[in-house]
Amino acid sequence: MRLRNETTIAEFTLEGFPAVQHVGKLLFLVHLLAYLASVTGNMFIITITWTDHRLQTPMYFFLSSFSFCEFCFITTVIPKLLSIFLLGQQTINFTSCLTQAFSFLFLGSTIFFLMTVMSLDRYLAICKPLHYPTIMNLRVCFLLVFFCYTVSSIIITGLILKVSQLSFCGPRVIPHFFCDLGPLIHLSCSDTRSIETLAFALISFILFTSLIITIIAYSNIMFTIMRLPSAKERQKAFSTCSSHLIVLSLMYGSCVFIYVKPKQASRLDSNREAALVNTVLTPLLNPVIYTLHNKQVHQALRDVLSRVKMQK
């Protein structure tokens, strides 16, 4: 047996954004405001969905589930990023690093599956309106959300267990602002070829399976909308889907750029900037995009404000 004089790493250092660390307090304020706005927006969607009976429909049930997942998703990453900017606290122990990696990937995968379910919901509502109330009942909605969480948990748990068995005995600086899978695997002194292939295959499966189903659903939606006799009807039908398409473009574009490449080491630096789209920009825009042109949400908000004024 060959003996090696090595020390197992107990903690890592998150590099963050060293080029702009001199303006850390300004970046802290910007990201704190973005985080608070994201949390407020997603909590608003959840609250108004569950308190207004007119919004207790499958579409808003899925939207509130999506908002809850988004809230948890950004909370796994942004608080640590804020501490890096404000206090320079860049260290993270091995267990916390794996926990953050699992939470990020698990919630991210669940979000993609929920987006797919939301596209199927819109497909049934627009293309099969007569069968929609029968098919998309409350029991089916709960089962679909449960399926999203279960499949994500199975896939990501197996992947993180494989990563936890790797040896980390060399450099301990992660060139990222959180414990993402690619940079973490790249630091291992074990043979990582098999786990890199596994990670590539599983993440590609999550992204492309959900993307293909979504494309098929929206292709059918577009054909149905184009066959509507009235221009007003076409505009109304498309407005319910346009916001979903904007969110899909942002999320799939950034994730494909980050994860769908066999050699993770090739773009570790650019991955940090792309990851900001998923962890800061998209969660900030989602509540705005989903509620900006939504007349039902506007009416529910007006009713809430009216009740508050009457109580005063």
Side-chain angles (χ1 to χ4, degrees), residues 20-32 82 84-88:
V20 293
Q21 192 61 39
H22 60 285
V23 289
K25 288 183 172 58
L26 177 61
L27 292 173
F28 165 81
L29 180 61
V30 171
H31 287 81
L32 176 63
L82 294 176
I84 292 174
F85 283 139
L86 183 64
L87 305 172

PDB file of all heavy atoms in Angstrom, residues 20-32 82 84-88:
ATOM      1  N   VAL A  20     -14.091  42.473  -6.208  1.00  0.00           N
ATOM      2  CA  VAL A  20     -14.944  43.602  -5.794  1.00  0.00           C
ATOM      3  C   VAL A  20     -15.150  43.619  -4.284  1.00  0.00           C
ATOM      4  O   VAL A  20     -16.054  44.293  -3.797  1.00  0.00           O
ATOM      5  CB  VAL A  20     -16.311  43.554  -6.520  1.00  0.00           C
ATOM      6  CG1 VAL A  20     -16.145  43.799  -8.006  1.00  0.00           C
ATOM      7  CG2 VAL A  20     -17.007  42.207  -6.276  1.00  0.00           C
ATOM      8  N   GLN A  21     -14.326  42.877  -3.551  1.00  0.00           N
ATOM      9  CA  GLN A  21     -14.493  42.802  -2.104  1.00  0.00           C
ATOM     10  C   GLN A  21     -14.263  44.153  -1.424  1.00  0.00           C
ATOM     11  O   GLN A  21     -14.763  44.396  -0.324  1.00  0.00           O
ATOM     12  CB  GLN A  21     -13.539  41.756  -1.519  1.00  0.00           C
ATOM     13  CG  GLN A  21     -13.821  41.393  -0.059  1.00  0.00           C
ATOM     14  CD  GLN A  21     -15.197  40.784   0.155  1.00  0.00           C
ATOM     15  OE1 GLN A  21     -15.670  40.007  -0.663  1.00  0.00           O
ATOM     16  NE2 GLN A  21     -15.857  41.148   1.252  1.00  0.00           N
ATOM     17  N   HIS A  22     -13.531  45.075  -2.104  1.00  0.00           N
ATOM     18  CA  HIS A  22     -13.280  46.395  -1.525  1.00  0.00           C
ATOM     19  C   HIS A  22     -14.543  47.241  -1.428  1.00  0.00           C
ATOM     20  O   HIS A  22     -14.580  48.243  -0.713  1.00  0.00           O
ATOM     21  CB  HIS A  22     -12.210  47.142  -2.336  1.00  0.00           C
ATOM     22  CG  HIS A  22     -12.579  47.377  -3.773  1.00  0.00           C
ATOM     23  ND1 HIS A  22     -12.547  46.365  -4.717  1.00  0.00           N
ATOM     24  CD2 HIS A  22     -13.003  48.491  -4.418  1.00  0.00           C
ATOM     25  CE1 HIS A  22     -12.917  46.856  -5.890  1.00  0.00           C
ATOM     26  NE2 HIS A  22     -13.211  48.137  -5.740  1.00  0.00           N
ATOM     27  N   VAL A  23     -15.574  46.859  -2.171  1.00  0.00           N
ATOM     28  CA  VAL A  23     -16.873  47.554  -2.063  1.00  0.00           C
ATOM     29  C   VAL A  23     -17.895  46.596  -1.444  1.00  0.00           C
ATOM     30  O   VAL A  23     -19.064  46.602  -1.821  1.00  0.00           O
ATOM     31  CB  VAL A  23     -17.359  48.084  -3.431  1.00  0.00           C
ATOM     32  CG1 VAL A  23     -16.520  49.253  -3.891  1.00  0.00           C
ATOM     33  CG2 VAL A  23     -17.362  46.959  -4.490  1.00  0.00           C
ATOM     34  N   GLY A  24     -17.419  45.779  -0.513  1.00  0.00           N
ATOM     35  CA  GLY A  24     -18.260  44.751   0.084  1.00  0.00           C
ATOM     36  C   GLY A  24     -19.493  45.283   0.773  1.00  0.00           C
ATOM     37  O   GLY A  24     -20.572  44.701   0.674  1.00  0.00           O
ATOM     38  N   LYS A  25     -19.360  46.420   1.466  1.00  0.00           N
ATOM     39  CA  LYS A  25     -20.509  46.980   2.194  1.00  0.00           C
ATOM     40  C   LYS A  25     -21.595  47.447   1.231  1.00  0.00           C
ATOM     41  O   LYS A  25     -22.792  47.295   1.504  1.00  0.00           O
ATOM     42  CB  LYS A  25     -20.058  48.125   3.102  1.00  0.00           C
ATOM     43  CG  LYS A  25     -19.268  47.652   4.320  1.00  0.00           C
ATOM     44  CD  LYS A  25     -18.906  48.789   5.225  1.00  0.00           C
ATOM     45  CE  LYS A  25     -18.287  48.266   6.538  1.00  0.00           C
ATOM     46  NZ  LYS A  25     -17.101  47.452   6.316  1.00  0.00           N
ATOM     47  N   LEU A  26     -21.192  48.009   0.095  1.00  0.00           N
ATOM     48  CA  LEU A  26     -22.174  48.417  -0.912  1.00  0.00           C
ATOM     49  C   LEU A  26     -22.868  47.190  -1.507  1.00  0.00           C
ATOM     50  O   LEU A  26     -24.102  47.175  -1.665  1.00  0.00           O
ATOM     51  CB  LEU A  26     -21.495  49.224  -2.013  1.00  0.00           C
ATOM     52  CG  LEU A  26     -22.376  49.658  -3.191  1.00  0.00           C
ATOM     53  CD1 LEU A  26     -23.516  50.549  -2.717  1.00  0.00           C
ATOM     54  CD2 LEU A  26     -21.543  50.349  -4.264  1.00  0.00           C
ATOM     55  N   LEU A  27     -22.087  46.164  -1.823  1.00  0.00           N
ATOM     56  CA  LEU A  27     -22.662  44.940  -2.370  1.00  0.00           C
ATOM     57  C   LEU A  27     -23.554  44.248  -1.347  1.00  0.00           C
ATOM     58  O   LEU A  27     -24.570  43.649  -1.708  1.00  0.00           O
ATOM     59  CB  LEU A  27     -21.545  43.995  -2.822  1.00  0.00           C
ATOM     60  CG  LEU A  27     -20.736  44.466  -4.027  1.00  0.00           C
ATOM     61  CD1 LEU A  27     -19.553  43.546  -4.267  1.00  0.00           C
ATOM     62  CD2 LEU A  27     -21.609  44.537  -5.271  1.00  0.00           C
ATOM     63  N   PHE A  28     -23.169  44.322  -0.079  1.00  0.00           N
ATOM     64  CA  PHE A  28     -24.010  43.786   0.981  1.00  0.00           C
ATOM     65  C   PHE A  28     -25.378  44.455   0.971  1.00  0.00           C
ATOM     66  O   PHE A  28     -26.412  43.786   1.042  1.00  0.00           O
ATOM     67  CB  PHE A  28     -23.339  43.996   2.346  1.00  0.00           C
ATOM     68  CG  PHE A  28     -24.267  43.800   3.513  1.00  0.00           C
ATOM     69  CD1 PHE A  28     -24.565  42.532   3.976  1.00  0.00           C
ATOM     70  CD2 PHE A  28     -24.858  44.890   4.139  1.00  0.00           C
ATOM     71  CE1 PHE A  28     -25.428  42.340   5.047  1.00  0.00           C
ATOM     72  CE2 PHE A  28     -25.723  44.717   5.209  1.00  0.00           C
ATOM     73  CZ  PHE A  28     -26.012  43.440   5.668  1.00  0.00           C
ATOM     74  N   LEU A  29     -25.399  45.777   0.855  1.00  0.00           N
ATOM     75  CA  LEU A  29     -26.665  46.509   0.863  1.00  0.00           C
ATOM     76  C   LEU A  29     -27.516  46.151  -0.347  1.00  0.00           C
ATOM     77  O   LEU A  29     -28.722  45.912  -0.221  1.00  0.00           O
ATOM     78  CB  LEU A  29     -26.385  48.016   0.891  1.00  0.00           C
ATOM     79  CG  LEU A  29     -27.609  48.934   0.914  1.00  0.00           C
ATOM     80  CD1 LEU A  29     -28.439  48.673   2.161  1.00  0.00           C
ATOM     81  CD2 LEU A  29     -27.183  50.401   0.848  1.00  0.00           C
ATOM     82  N   VAL A  30     -26.891  46.075  -1.521  1.00  0.00           N
ATOM     83  CA  VAL A  30     -27.622  45.744  -2.747  1.00  0.00           C
ATOM     84  C   VAL A  30     -28.236  44.351  -2.656  1.00  0.00           C
ATOM     85  O   VAL A  30     -29.421  44.151  -2.948  1.00  0.00           O
ATOM     86  CB  VAL A  30     -26.690  45.850  -3.978  1.00  0.00           C
ATOM     87  CG1 VAL A  30     -27.385  45.292  -5.223  1.00  0.00           C
ATOM     88  CG2 VAL A  30     -26.263  47.288  -4.209  1.00  0.00           C
ATOM     89  N   HIS A  31     -27.436  43.380  -2.222  1.00  0.00           N
ATOM     90  CA  HIS A  31     -27.928  42.007  -2.152  1.00  0.00           C
ATOM     91  C   HIS A  31     -28.914  41.816  -0.996  1.00  0.00           C
ATOM     92  O   HIS A  31     -29.829  40.989  -1.103  1.00  0.00           O
ATOM     93  CB  HIS A  31     -26.760  41.031  -2.024  1.00  0.00           C
ATOM     94  CG  HIS A  31     -25.984  40.852  -3.282  1.00  0.00           C
ATOM     95  ND1 HIS A  31     -25.015  41.744  -3.695  1.00  0.00           N
ATOM     96  CD2 HIS A  31     -26.043  39.897  -4.254  1.00  0.00           C
ATOM     97  CE1 HIS A  31     -24.502  41.346  -4.838  1.00  0.00           C
ATOM     98  NE2 HIS A  31     -25.111  40.227  -5.205  1.00  0.00           N
ATOM     99  N   LEU A  32     -28.737  42.584   0.078  1.00  0.00           N
ATOM    100  CA  LEU A  32     -29.706  42.511   1.176  1.00  0.00           C
ATOM    101  C   LEU A  32     -31.072  43.015   0.715  1.00  0.00           C
ATOM    102  O   LEU A  32     -32.105  42.384   1.001  1.00  0.00           O
ATOM    103  CB  LEU A  32     -29.219  43.339   2.362  1.00  0.00           C
ATOM    104  CG  LEU A  32     -30.194  43.434   3.553  1.00  0.00           C
ATOM    105  CD1 LEU A  32     -30.438  42.058   4.156  1.00  0.00           C
ATOM    106  CD2 LEU A  32     -29.663  44.409   4.607  1.00  0.00           C
ATOM    107  N   LEU A  82     -24.136  37.392   2.117  1.00  0.00           N
ATOM    108  CA  LEU A  82     -24.195  38.662   2.835  1.00  0.00           C
ATOM    109  C   LEU A  82     -23.115  38.738   3.915  1.00  0.00           C
ATOM    110  O   LEU A  82     -22.489  39.783   4.116  1.00  0.00           O
ATOM    111  CB  LEU A  82     -25.582  38.852   3.461  1.00  0.00           C
ATOM    112  CG  LEU A  82     -26.759  39.018   2.486  1.00  0.00           C
ATOM    113  CD1 LEU A  82     -28.073  39.094   3.250  1.00  0.00           C
ATOM    114  CD2 LEU A  82     -26.578  40.255   1.621  1.00  0.00           C
ATOM    115  N   ILE A  84     -20.270  37.242   3.836  1.00  0.00           N
ATOM    116  CA  ILE A  84     -18.985  37.401   3.149  1.00  0.00           C
ATOM    117  C   ILE A  84     -18.751  38.865   2.805  1.00  0.00           C
ATOM    118  O   ILE A  84     -17.668  39.422   3.031  1.00  0.00           O
ATOM    119  CB  ILE A  84     -18.930  36.525   1.880  1.00  0.00           C
ATOM    120  CG1 ILE A  84     -18.909  35.042   2.248  1.00  0.00           C
ATOM    121  CG2 ILE A  84     -17.702  36.873   1.028  1.00  0.00           C
ATOM    122  CD1 ILE A  84     -19.002  34.101   1.055  1.00  0.00           C
ATOM    123  N   PHE A  85     -19.782  39.517   2.262  1.00  0.00           N
ATOM    124  CA  PHE A  85     -19.651  40.923   1.874  1.00  0.00           C
ATOM    125  C   PHE A  85     -19.451  41.838   3.079  1.00  0.00           C
ATOM    126  O   PHE A  85     -18.626  42.749   3.057  1.00  0.00           O
ATOM    127  CB  PHE A  85     -20.890  41.380   1.094  1.00  0.00           C
ATOM    128  CG  PHE A  85     -20.923  40.918  -0.334  1.00  0.00           C
ATOM    129  CD1 PHE A  85     -22.107  40.477  -0.903  1.00  0.00           C
ATOM    130  CD2 PHE A  85     -19.779  40.929  -1.113  1.00  0.00           C
ATOM    131  CE1 PHE A  85     -22.146  40.052  -2.227  1.00  0.00           C
ATOM    132  CE2 PHE A  85     -19.804  40.511  -2.437  1.00  0.00           C
ATOM    133  CZ  PHE A  85     -20.985  40.069  -2.994  1.00  0.00           C
ATOM    134  N   LEU A  86     -20.212  41.595   4.144  1.00  0.00           N
ATOM    135  CA  LEU A  86     -20.194  42.523   5.279  1.00  0.00           C
ATOM    136  C   LEU A  86     -19.073  42.225   6.263  1.00  0.00           C
ATOM    137  O   LEU A  86     -18.365  43.143   6.701  1.00  0.00           O
ATOM    138  CB  LEU A  86     -21.542  42.478   6.004  1.00  0.00           C
ATOM    139  CG  LEU A  86     -21.695  43.457   7.178  1.00  0.00           C
ATOM    140  CD1 LEU A  86     -21.639  44.895   6.676  1.00  0.00           C
ATOM    141  CD2 LEU A  86     -22.998  43.203   7.918  1.00  0.00           C
ATOM    142  N   LEU A  87     -18.896  40.960   6.615  1.00  0.00           N
ATOM    143  CA  LEU A  87     -17.970  40.604   7.691  1.00  0.00           C
ATOM    144  C   LEU A  87     -16.730  39.868   7.211  1.00  0.00           C
ATOM    145  O   LEU A  87     -15.808  39.640   8.004  1.00  0.00           O
ATOM    146  CB  LEU A  87     -18.703  39.732   8.732  1.00  0.00           C
ATOM    147  CG  LEU A  87     -19.992  40.325   9.321  1.00  0.00           C
ATOM    148  CD1 LEU A  87     -20.699  39.293  10.180  1.00  0.00           C
ATOM    149  CD2 LEU A  87     -19.688  41.588  10.116  1.00  0.00           C
ATOM    150  N   GLY A  88     -16.729  39.464   5.945  1.00  0.00           N
ATOM    151  CA  GLY A  88     -15.597  38.698   5.443  1.00  0.00           C
ATOM    152  C   GLY A  88     -15.540  37.287   5.989  1.00  0.00           C
ATOM    153  O   GLY A  88     -14.477  36.657   5.989  1.00  0.00           O
TER     154      GLY A  88
END
